[in-house]
Amino acid sequence: EVQLVESGGGLVQPGGSLRLSCAASGFTFSSYSMNWVRQAPGKGLEWVSYISSSSSTIYYADSVKGRFTISRDNAKNSLYLQMNSLRAEDTAVYYCARDFTYYYGSGFDPWGQGTLVTVSS
Amino acid sequence: QSALTQPASVSGSPGQSITISCTGTSSDVGGYNYVSWYQQHPGKAPKLMIYDVSNRPSGVSNRFSGSKSGNTASLTISGLQAEDEADYYCSSYTSSSTLVFGTGTKVTVL
């Protein structure tokens, strides 16, 4: 079964840091590009970041550029999101999601169950 | 990058057809055939329903169809069923090599 499981969410103070992880199973992780998508409570979806299968290409949304860093470890079948200088507006459920096909922009499937990040003092 | 524009809500009776629009610009929806649609039930992760404007992943009902004209993409649900009641989001690739989602549409089955 193809599965993505996020972890690492929690409560953090403004200005703090947090590292999210996403464990992949059931498919050849090293062959697929991956993404992070977030959803603030009661709000819509927001794409956060993309990383290609070999980590050679990385993109960020303007809202997180310079503060968040996406990375992956293909040997460990894992995706990461290092979040620094966190703000209240970063509060959201963070999902990891695989590119559905082998090219960027084709859509996301599957998705993980999400991990909640709350930025508050 | 501004979110793509979707109607806040759409409703229909069981068996009817409804269409959800997703309006962007020539820098996103209108410029690329990389539009996808997602269904999200409360408390659940989104599910891919349509990719590349009009393609259905295996396992998605053929009651769901997608299309695009100019800067506007559309998702049509035919033979509306109670289980279709959910939030729906479109997404598009952009000229900035980023991805953008729509504002979301709540579908209500009357």
Side-chain angles (χ1 to χ4, degrees):
Chain A
E1 178 192 6
V2 176
Q3 193 172 16
L4 298 170
V5 179
E6 301 94 336
S7 60
L11 176 64
V12 60
Q13 292 189 337
S17 297
L18 210 57
R19 189 194 195 207
L20 305 183
S21 299
C22 171
S25 60
F27 65 99
T28 306
F29 181 72
S30 59
S31 295
Y32 286 87
S33 302
M34 298 293 296
N35 300 265
W36 287 99
V37 177
R38 68 184 181 183
Q39 186 170 34
K43 302 297 184 182
L45 300 171
E46 179 187 14
W47 172 81
V48 172
S49 184
Y50 160 92
I51 186 168
S52 63
S53 57
S54 64
S55 303
S56 59
T57 302
I58 286 174
Y59 300 117
Y60 296 101
D62 287 345
S63 58
V64 306
K65 198 174 297 182
R67 300 187 300 122
F68 289 12
T69 301
I70 191 172
S71 62
R72 64 190 295 162
D73 185 336
N74 287 341
K76 295 183 177 180
N77 290 340
S78 294
L79 174 72
Y80 307 101
L81 186 67
Q82 177 67 44
M83 304 185 295
N84 299 331
S85 303
L86 283 162
R87 308 166 179 167
E89 53 265 35
D90 295 319
T91 293
V93 173
Y94 285 74
Y95 296 100
C96 66
R98 191 192 77 179
D99 270 2
F100 180 58
T101 68
Y102 293 117
Y103 56 90
Y104 179 44
S106 64
F108 308 127
D109 183 82
W111 296 59
Q113 86 288 351
T115 187
L116 177 62
V117 172
T118 303
V119 184
S120 174
S121 55
Chain B
Q1 181 69 48
S2 298
L4 307 175
T5 301
Q6 297 181 229
S9 62
V10 174
S11 62
S13 299
Q16 286 187 329
S17 293
I18 62 170
T19 297
I20 303 168
S21 61
C22 170
T23 301
T25 69
S26 57
S27 296
D28 39 63
V29 174
Y32 308 92
N33 287 325
Y34 293 149
V35 176
S36 49
W37 288 90
Y38 303 88
Q39 176 191 66
Q40 186 180 34
H41 287 108
K44 300 294 187 181
K47 175 187 176 182
L48 180 66
M49 305 302 284
I50 296 288
Y51 69 99
D52 295 353
V53 175
S54 60
N55 294 307
R56 269 189 317 273
S58 174
V60 172
S61 171
N62 59 9
R63 298 185 298 105
F64 292 84
S65 62
S67 63
K68 190 185 84 167
S69 178
N71 296 337
T72 298
S74 299
L75 174 72
T76 297
I77 309 174
S78 58
L80 199 62
Q81 299 180 1
E83 67 209 50
D84 301 331
E85 187 162 292
D87 292 327
Y88 290 83
Y89 295 90
C90 61
S91 177
S92 174
Y93 176 78
T94 82
S95 60
S96 302
S97 296
T98 60
L99 297 166
V100 62
F101 281 97
T103 50
T105 298
K106 181 176 180 60
V107 168
T108 301
V109 181
L110 302 172

